[in-house]
Amino acid sequence: MNAQSDERGGTVPVAEPDSVAGDVTEPERELGSRAPAFIKASRPLHLSWQVGVFAVGLAVVAAGVAMLVLPGPGWLVIFGGMAIWATEFVWAQLVLRWTRRKVTEAAQKALDPKVRRRNIVLTVAGLVIVAALVGVYLWKFGLSLPWNISE
């Protein structure tokens, strides 16, 4: 395991090359609270810190859920709220790790040459069908809008 010294005199794990893909993977952070040390030192202060983090995270997640039906980046805001919760709660850190792993797997699968070729073929087929439907519409009705057709 490689480690480098940081300015505090401790050691920080260094990313190592992935043996399968050959790329560099990030070491996973340790689970637990990331509150400052002076807050962790006092139990009542740490508990009130956690309540505040939970309330802010809940407000952000609620806004994200509302954005699923309203205009806005709903999923992005929901994951932002989860990231806020992950600064204090282990369960949120585990959910974010699982989500990051699944997104990485999906991205690698999407870059697979067979999957890319299939997606390109399906996209071209869909565009040909849409172009044919537009051509039939223009041949039958001309350049009139659908709500102005009197047939």
Side-chain angles (χ1 to χ4, degrees), residues 84-103:
I84 291 171
W85 279 338
T87 62
E88 280 303 308
F89 304 108
V90 173
W91 60 268
Q93 293 168 0
L94 294 174
V95 168
L96 283 179
R97 281 185 184 179
W98 179 84
T99 304
R100 185 177 296 128
R101 190 171 53 249
K102 291 299 179 184
V103 167

Side-chain angles (χ1 to χ4, degrees), residues 49-148:
W49 176 270
Q50 286 182 326
V51 169
V53 167
F54 184 80
V56 170
L58 183 63
V60 172
V61 168
V65 169
M67 285 184 202
L68 291 175
V69 294
L70 299 171
W75 285 110
L76 184 66
V77 174
I78 289 172
F79 289 128
M82 289 296 295
I84 291 171
W85 279 338
T87 62
E88 280 303 308
F89 304 108
V90 173
W91 60 268
Q93 293 168 0
L94 294 174
V95 168
L96 283 179
R97 281 185 184 179
W98 179 84
T99 304
R100 185 177 296 128
R101 190 171 53 249
K102 291 299 179 184
V103 167
T104 303
E105 289 173 8
Q108 289 175 347
K109 186 176 179 181
L111 294 176
D112 179 27
K114 289 180 183 178
V115 174
R116 288 185 69 210
R117 198 170 343 176
R118 182 199 65 202
N119 289 345
I120 290 170
V121 168
L122 289 174
T123 301
V124 168
L127 288 173
V128 167
I129 290 170
V130 167
L133 291 173
V134 168
V136 167
Y137 176 83
L138 289 175
W139 173 71
K140 185 165 177 123
F141 300 109
L143 286 175
S144 63
L145 296 173
W147 48 84
N148 292 335

